[in-house]
Amino acid sequence: MGTVIMHSVMSVDGFIADEKDDVGPLHDWYYNGDTPIVEGARFRVSRASAAYVRPMWASIGVIVVGRHLFDLTNGWEGRPPTGDHVVVVSHRPKPEGWHPEASYHFAGDVRSAIATARELAGERVVAVNAGDVGGQVLSAGLVDEVAVDVVPVVFGSGKRFFGAVDGQHLLEDPHVVIQGDRVLHLGYRVRR
């Protein structure tokens, strides 16, 4: 089975967006370099970031997101930003008539979402978006690794990387520490 990685970009003080879902400068590093992440894409990052992001994105089979992010992005119009499938944690079904060709699956809770994602991903990575859903998946003991792209900005308040995670969770020492341009890529395995 593939690894479940909770991932997102965050501010130094632990936020993935402000209270109004504005990400501010958190994604600027995706556009400040000269190396494309994938051919033909508009994302151009530093060479160090590209060496990290390219294999990570290529390894992803399924993305797990909450309904809030799905609604904010309109599900990326039925085209996952990476991977082949998206699993949406939601108590509401897929909008009627919304991109019937898209491989988007809706699950009522995080356990069934991860089970569906693992089945769809096979040996590939399941990437769980940080925030409330990510915190729920971590709290349920279903996250294998935490990957964070830390951007040098302080938000002061907003949507927390770990959402409303239950309890304390120990991580191993970082196995990924890569400095890009205006971003620090970190990876931690969850201690079992």
Side-chain angles (χ1 to χ4, degrees):
M1 230 182 266
T3 303
V4 176
I5 299 176
M6 180 179 166
H7 176 257
S8 194
V9 179
M10 80 172 190
S11 65
V12 172
D13 57 342
F15 296 100
I16 59 174
D18 69 15
E19 291 91 350
K20 296 178 182 174
D21 296 311
D22 186 352
V23 296
L26 290 180
H27 295 169
D28 289 356
W29 66 274
Y30 279 119
Y31 308 98
N32 69 359
D34 57 3
T35 308
I37 294 176
V38 293
E39 208 53 49
R42 59 190 177 118
F43 298 125
R44 299 182 74 79
V45 298
S46 69
R47 192 167 303 176
S49 289
Y52 167 71
V53 174
R54 281 180 182 157
M56 176 195 258
W57 283 14
S59 72
I60 295 171
V62 179
I63 298 173
V64 177
V65 301
R67 183 60 181 251
H68 186 70
L69 181 58
F70 173 83
D71 288 344
L72 279 173
T73 63
N74 193 27
W76 301 282
E77 298 299 332
R79 292 180 304 278
T82 188
D84 301 318
H85 313 276
V86 174
V87 177
V88 181
V89 180
S90 177
H91 297 294
R92 294 178 285 144
K94 183 192 300 190
E96 194 172 317
W98 182 87
H99 296 283
E101 77 289 352
S103 184
Y104 279 57
H105 309 266
F106 284 65
D109 61 77
V110 295
R111 288 191 182 280
S112 59
I114 295 300
T116 299
R118 281 187 163 153
E119 184 178 316
L120 290 166
E123 294 300 314
R124 295 179 74 198
V125 166
V126 172
V128 178
N129 194 69
D132 287 335
V133 166
Q136 291 173 38
V137 177
L138 181 67
S139 293
L142 301 173
V143 172
D144 300 309
E145 295 182 23
V146 174
V148 185
D149 301 320
V150 182
V151 173
V153 62
V154 175
F155 274 30
S157 64
K159 309 282 175 100
R160 299 203 64 71
F161 182 91
F162 289 102
V165 68
D166 289 337
Q168 196 175 81
H169 300 271
L170 294 176
L171 307 176
E172 298 295 341
D173 287 338
H175 64 95
V176 174
V177 179
I178 298 170
Q179 183 176 341
D181 183 8
R182 304 288 302 155
V183 64
L184 177 63
H185 307 286
L186 300 170
Y188 303 88
R189 289 183 182 89
V190 175
R191 187 175 287 182
R192 302 278 185 214

Tab-separated table of all heavy atoms in Angstrom, residues 8-9 15-27 66-74 76 92 129-133 155 157-161 163:
chain	number	residue	atom	x	y	z
A	8	SER	N	1.034	20.486	2.772
A	8	SER	CA	0.570	21.798	2.344
A	8	SER	C	1.701	22.799	2.481
A	8	SER	O	2.746	22.504	3.058
A	8	SER	CB	-0.630	22.281	3.166
A	8	SER	OG	-1.247	23.383	2.525
A	9	VAL	N	1.457	23.970	1.973
A	9	VAL	CA	2.342	25.118	2.150
A	9	VAL	C	1.826	25.869	3.370
A	9	VAL	O	0.614	25.998	3.553
A	9	VAL	CB	2.306	26.030	0.899
A	9	VAL	CG1	3.196	27.236	1.092
A	9	VAL	CG2	2.689	25.250	-0.346
A	15	PHE	N	0.042	28.635	9.451
A	15	PHE	CA	-1.244	28.834	8.783
A	15	PHE	C	-1.155	28.533	7.285
A	15	PHE	O	-0.161	28.853	6.638
A	15	PHE	CB	-1.731	30.271	8.999
A	15	PHE	CG	-2.010	30.580	10.444
A	15	PHE	CD1	-1.089	31.278	11.198
A	15	PHE	CD2	-3.179	30.138	11.052
A	15	PHE	CE1	-1.318	31.550	12.542
A	15	PHE	CE2	-3.415	30.400	12.395
A	15	PHE	CZ	-2.490	31.105	13.141
A	16	ILE	N	-2.224	27.933	6.747
A	16	ILE	CA	-2.292	27.609	5.322
A	16	ILE	C	-3.118	28.631	4.544
A	16	ILE	O	-3.137	28.599	3.319
A	16	ILE	CB	-2.821	26.183	5.080
A	16	ILE	CG1	-4.218	25.987	5.681
A	16	ILE	CG2	-1.835	25.157	5.647
A	16	ILE	CD1	-4.864	24.643	5.367
A	17	ALA	N	-3.783	29.515	5.252
A	17	ALA	CA	-4.563	30.612	4.655
A	17	ALA	C	-5.016	31.520	5.788
A	17	ALA	O	-4.961	31.146	6.959
A	17	ALA	CB	-5.773	30.073	3.900
A	18	ASP	N	-5.476	32.707	5.420
A	18	ASP	CA	-6.035	33.581	6.453
A	18	ASP	C	-7.503	33.196	6.698
A	18	ASP	O	-8.009	32.231	6.118
A	18	ASP	CB	-5.858	35.063	6.108
A	18	ASP	CG	-6.685	35.542	4.926
A	18	ASP	OD1	-7.636	34.849	4.492
A	18	ASP	OD2	-6.384	36.639	4.421
A	19	GLU	N	-8.203	33.967	7.542
A	19	GLU	CA	-9.589	33.641	7.887
A	19	GLU	C	-10.529	33.672	6.679
A	19	GLU	O	-11.578	33.046	6.676
A	19	GLU	CB	-10.134	34.621	8.955
A	19	GLU	CG	-9.505	34.467	10.316
A	19	GLU	CD	-8.289	35.373	10.488
A	19	GLU	OE1	-7.819	35.989	9.512
A	19	GLU	OE2	-7.798	35.452	11.624
A	20	LYS	N	-10.146	34.415	5.641
A	20	LYS	CA	-10.988	34.535	4.445
A	20	LYS	C	-10.509	33.616	3.320
A	20	LYS	O	-10.857	33.806	2.162
A	20	LYS	CB	-11.006	35.982	3.969
A	20	LYS	CG	-11.632	36.920	4.971
A	20	LYS	CD	-11.591	38.349	4.480
A	20	LYS	CE	-12.185	39.269	5.522
A	20	LYS	NZ	-12.040	40.673	5.149
A	21	ASP	N	-9.666	32.637	3.660
A	21	ASP	CA	-9.124	31.654	2.712
A	21	ASP	C	-8.141	32.244	1.709
A	21	ASP	O	-7.837	31.616	0.703
A	21	ASP	CB	-10.245	30.915	1.966
A	21	ASP	CG	-11.085	30.082	2.904
A	21	ASP	OD1	-10.501	29.332	3.712
A	21	ASP	OD2	-12.320	30.181	2.838
A	22	ASP	N	-7.618	33.420	1.979
A	22	ASP	CA	-6.610	34.028	1.110
A	22	ASP	C	-5.251	33.441	1.497
A	22	ASP	O	-4.881	33.452	2.670
A	22	ASP	CB	-6.614	35.544	1.285
A	22	ASP	CG	-5.698	36.253	0.303
A	22	ASP	OD1	-4.934	35.584	-0.428
A	22	ASP	OD2	-5.737	37.492	0.269
A	23	VAL	N	-4.514	32.950	0.510
A	23	VAL	CA	-3.205	32.361	0.784
A	23	VAL	C	-2.077	33.376	0.710
A	23	VAL	O	-0.923	33.043	0.977
A	23	VAL	CB	-2.906	31.158	-0.149
A	23	VAL	CG1	-3.895	30.035	0.097
A	23	VAL	CG2	-2.884	31.583	-1.602
A	24	GLY	N	-2.386	34.613	0.361
A	24	GLY	CA	-1.363	35.657	0.328
A	24	GLY	C	-0.133	35.220	-0.442
A	24	GLY	O	-0.239	34.658	-1.530
A	25	PRO	N	1.062	35.395	0.139
A	25	PRO	CA	2.303	35.053	-0.569
A	25	PRO	C	2.714	33.586	-0.430
A	25	PRO	O	3.808	33.215	-0.855
A	25	PRO	CB	3.334	35.968	0.102
A	25	PRO	CG	2.845	36.090	1.501
A	25	PRO	CD	1.334	36.127	1.381
A	26	LEU	N	1.862	32.725	0.132
A	26	LEU	CA	2.271	31.343	0.376
A	26	LEU	C	2.658	30.580	-0.889
A	26	LEU	O	3.485	29.681	-0.845
A	26	LEU	CB	1.172	30.565	1.118
A	26	LEU	CG	0.946	30.956	2.576
A	26	LEU	CD1	-0.161	30.108	3.180
A	26	LEU	CD2	2.220	30.829	3.392
A	27	HIS	N	2.066	30.926	-2.013
A	27	HIS	CA	2.359	30.190	-3.242
A	27	HIS	C	3.279	30.949	-4.200
A	27	HIS	O	3.522	30.484	-5.314
A	27	HIS	CB	1.051	29.805	-3.950
A	27	HIS	CG	0.224	28.845	-3.152
A	27	HIS	ND1	-1.071	28.542	-3.487
A	27	HIS	CD2	0.493	28.116	-2.050
A	27	HIS	CE1	-1.564	27.678	-2.619
A	27	HIS	NE2	-0.625	27.421	-1.737
A	66	GLY	N	-10.929	18.261	1.780
A	66	GLY	CA	-12.222	18.502	2.392
A	66	GLY	C	-13.168	19.186	1.415
A	66	GLY	O	-12.753	19.697	0.370
A	67	ARG	N	-14.425	19.215	1.782
A	67	ARG	CA	-15.425	19.836	0.912
A	67	ARG	C	-15.183	21.328	0.753
A	67	ARG	O	-15.460	21.908	-0.297
A	67	ARG	CB	-16.842	19.577	1.476
A	67	ARG	CG	-17.974	20.116	0.634
A	67	ARG	CD	-17.942	19.473	-0.769
A	67	ARG	NE	-18.983	19.953	-1.619
A	67	ARG	CZ	-20.036	19.242	-1.993
A	67	ARG	NH1	-20.204	18.011	-1.556
A	67	ARG	NH2	-20.938	19.746	-2.796
A	68	HIS	N	-14.642	21.959	1.780
A	68	HIS	CA	-14.386	23.401	1.714
A	68	HIS	C	-13.404	23.725	0.585
A	68	HIS	O	-13.660	24.610	-0.234
A	68	HIS	CB	-13.862	23.899	3.062
A	68	HIS	CG	-13.703	25.373	3.137
A	68	HIS	ND1	-14.779	26.246	3.158
A	68	HIS	CD2	-12.594	26.146	3.169
A	68	HIS	CE1	-14.338	27.490	3.207
A	68	HIS	NE2	-13.014	27.456	3.219
A	69	LEU	N	-12.285	22.990	0.514
A	69	LEU	CA	-11.311	23.229	-0.554
A	69	LEU	C	-11.908	22.857	-1.911
A	69	LEU	O	-11.705	23.562	-2.897
A	69	LEU	CB	-10.022	22.449	-0.308
A	69	LEU	CG	-8.920	22.653	-1.350
A	69	LEU	CD1	-8.523	24.126	-1.460
A	69	LEU	CD2	-7.712	21.790	-1.017
A	70	PHE	N	-12.659	21.776	-1.954
A	70	PHE	CA	-13.320	21.394	-3.201
A	70	PHE	C	-14.203	22.539	-3.697
A	70	PHE	O	-14.154	22.910	-4.870
A	70	PHE	CB	-14.171	20.130	-2.996
A	70	PHE	CG	-15.012	19.773	-4.176
A	70	PHE	CD1	-14.491	19.051	-5.234
A	70	PHE	CD2	-16.339	20.180	-4.241
A	70	PHE	CE1	-15.268	18.729	-6.342
A	70	PHE	CE2	-17.131	19.867	-5.336
A	70	PHE	CZ	-16.597	19.143	-6.389
A	71	ASP	N	-14.998	23.124	-2.800
A	71	ASP	CA	-15.882	24.227	-3.190
A	71	ASP	C	-15.089	25.475	-3.586
A	71	ASP	O	-15.438	26.150	-4.561
A	71	ASP	CB	-16.862	24.563	-2.063
A	71	ASP	CG	-17.937	23.498	-1.872
A	71	ASP	OD1	-18.136	22.649	-2.785
A	71	ASP	OD2	-18.587	23.503	-0.806
A	72	LEU	N	-14.017	25.780	-2.843
A	72	LEU	CA	-13.204	26.966	-3.155
A	72	LEU	C	-12.587	26.896	-4.553
A	72	LEU	O	-12.496	27.896	-5.247
A	72	LEU	CB	-12.070	27.128	-2.143
A	72	LEU	CG	-12.398	27.767	-0.821
A	72	LEU	CD1	-11.188	27.683	0.104
A	72	LEU	CD2	-12.823	29.209	-0.996
A	73	THR	N	-12.144	25.702	-4.939
A	73	THR	CA	-11.459	25.532	-6.221
A	73	THR	C	-12.379	25.007	-7.316
A	73	THR	O	-11.931	24.819	-8.451
A	73	THR	CB	-10.292	24.533	-6.072
A	73	THR	OG1	-10.821	23.250	-5.716
A	73	THR	CG2	-9.279	25.010	-5.050
A	74	ASN	N	-13.648	24.769	-6.978
A	74	ASN	CA	-14.584	24.065	-7.857
A	74	ASN	C	-13.959	22.763	-8.341
A	74	ASN	O	-14.061	22.388	-9.499
A	74	ASN	CB	-15.050	24.924	-9.030
A	74	ASN	CG	-16.244	24.292	-9.736
A	74	ASN	OD1	-17.018	23.543	-9.135
A	74	ASN	ND2	-16.395	24.566	-11.021
A	76	TRP	N	-11.045	22.021	-9.053
A	76	TRP	CA	-10.095	22.214	-10.148
A	76	TRP	C	-10.733	21.817	-11.483
A	76	TRP	O	-10.082	21.273	-12.372
A	76	TRP	CB	-8.787	21.448	-9.915
A	76	TRP	CG	-8.103	21.866	-8.645
A	76	TRP	CD1	-7.354	22.993	-8.446
A	76	TRP	CD2	-8.112	21.174	-7.399
A	76	TRP	NE1	-6.901	23.036	-7.141
A	76	TRP	CE2	-7.360	21.927	-6.477
A	76	TRP	CE3	-8.699	19.985	-6.952
A	76	TRP	CZ2	-7.167	21.536	-5.158
A	76	TRP	CZ3	-8.509	19.597	-5.641
A	76	TRP	CH2	-7.750	20.374	-4.760
A	92	ARG	N	-21.997	15.965	2.060
A	92	ARG	CA	-22.841	16.246	0.896
A	92	ARG	C	-22.306	15.488	-0.309
A	92	ARG	O	-21.102	15.336	-0.468
A	92	ARG	CB	-22.848	17.748	0.596
A	92	ARG	CG	-23.511	18.583	1.697
A	92	ARG	CD	-23.446	20.065	1.376
A	92	ARG	NE	-22.086	20.551	1.602
A	92	ARG	CZ	-21.489	21.469	0.863
A	92	ARG	NH1	-22.096	22.027	-0.164
A	92	ARG	NH2	-20.263	21.859	1.149
A	129	ASN	N	-4.575	16.851	1.965
A	129	ASN	CA	-4.386	18.281	2.139
A	129	ASN	C	-4.447	18.625	3.626
A	129	ASN	O	-5.305	18.133	4.355
A	129	ASN	CB	-5.463	19.055	1.378
A	129	ASN	CG	-5.107	20.508	1.252
A	129	ASN	OD1	-4.174	20.849	0.533
A	129	ASN	ND2	-5.821	21.358	1.955
A	130	ALA	N	-3.511	19.456	4.060
A	130	ALA	CA	-3.495	19.890	5.457
A	130	ALA	C	-4.729	20.737	5.742
A	130	ALA	O	-5.456	21.131	4.844
A	130	ALA	CB	-2.224	20.679	5.738
A	131	GLY	N	-4.952	21.025	6.999
A	131	GLY	CA	-6.123	21.788	7.437
A	131	GLY	C	-7.004	20.894	8.279
A	131	GLY	O	-6.533	19.927	8.886
A	132	ASP	N	-8.285	21.186	8.313
A	132	ASP	CA	-9.194	20.426	9.172
A	132	ASP	C	-9.229	18.942	8.826
A	132	ASP	O	-9.137	18.092	9.711
A	132	ASP	CB	-10.607	21.012	9.115
A	132	ASP	CG	-10.706	22.340	9.854
A	132	ASP	OD1	-9.896	22.578	10.776
A	132	ASP	OD2	-11.583	23.147	9.503
A	133	VAL	N	-9.343	18.609	7.548
A	133	VAL	CA	-9.380	17.200	7.164
A	133	VAL	C	-8.040	16.534	7.462
A	133	VAL	O	-7.992	15.425	7.994
A	133	VAL	CB	-9.788	17.029	5.683
A	133	VAL	CG1	-9.496	15.632	5.184
A	133	VAL	CG2	-11.269	17.337	5.525
A	155	PHE	N	1.413	35.094	9.415
A	155	PHE	CA	0.016	35.476	9.212
A	155	PHE	C	-0.624	36.021	10.486
A	155	PHE	O	-1.493	36.860	10.433
A	155	PHE	CB	-0.807	34.278	8.731
A	155	PHE	CG	-0.793	34.073	7.237
A	155	PHE	CD1	0.283	34.426	6.459
A	155	PHE	CD2	-1.885	33.515	6.603
A	155	PHE	CE1	0.296	34.234	5.095
A	155	PHE	CE2	-1.897	33.313	5.236
A	155	PHE	CZ	-0.803	33.667	4.481
A	157	SER	N	-2.913	34.842	12.249
A	157	SER	CA	-4.134	34.072	12.481
A	157	SER	C	-4.592	33.506	11.141
A	157	SER	O	-4.084	33.897	10.096
A	157	SER	CB	-5.233	34.947	13.095
A	157	SER	OG	-5.606	35.967	12.184
A	158	GLY	N	-5.542	32.602	11.207
A	158	GLY	CA	-6.073	32.026	9.977
A	158	GLY	C	-6.389	30.560	10.113
A	158	GLY	O	-6.699	30.075	11.205
A	159	LYS	N	-6.287	29.843	8.996
A	159	LYS	CA	-6.567	28.402	8.949
A	159	LYS	C	-5.269	27.663	9.274
A	159	LYS	O	-4.276	27.810	8.578
A	159	LYS	CB	-7.059	27.989	7.552
A	159	LYS	CG	-8.200	28.839	7.014
A	159	LYS	CD	-9.526	28.445	7.630
A	159	LYS	CE	-10.648	29.358	7.194
A	159	LYS	NZ	-11.489	28.886	6.166
A	160	ARG	N	-5.319	26.869	10.349
A	160	ARG	CA	-4.126	26.190	10.848
A	160	ARG	C	-3.746	24.990	9.987
A	160	ARG	O	-4.611	24.287	9.478
A	160	ARG	CB	-4.329	25.742	12.285
A	160	ARG	CG	-4.604	26.943	13.214
A	160	ARG	CD	-4.283	26.694	14.647
A	160	ARG	NE	-2.894	26.453	14.955
A	160	ARG	CZ	-1.909	27.354	14.924
A	160	ARG	NH1	-2.158	28.578	14.550
A	160	ARG	NH2	-0.689	27.031	15.251
A	161	PHE	N	-2.449	24.739	9.827
A	161	PHE	CA	-1.941	23.603	9.068
A	161	PHE	C	-2.544	22.297	9.575
A	161	PHE	O	-2.982	21.463	8.798
A	161	PHE	CB	-0.406	23.545	9.171
A	161	PHE	CG	0.213	22.422	8.378
A	161	PHE	CD1	0.604	22.623	7.066
A	161	PHE	CD2	0.411	21.169	8.940
A	161	PHE	CE1	1.172	21.586	6.322
A	161	PHE	CE2	0.982	20.138	8.214
A	161	PHE	CZ	1.363	20.349	6.897
A	163	GLY	N	-5.235	22.023	11.466
A	163	GLY	CA	-6.645	22.143	11.802
A	163	GLY	C	-6.834	22.046	13.300
A	163	GLY	O	-6.059	22.597	14.073
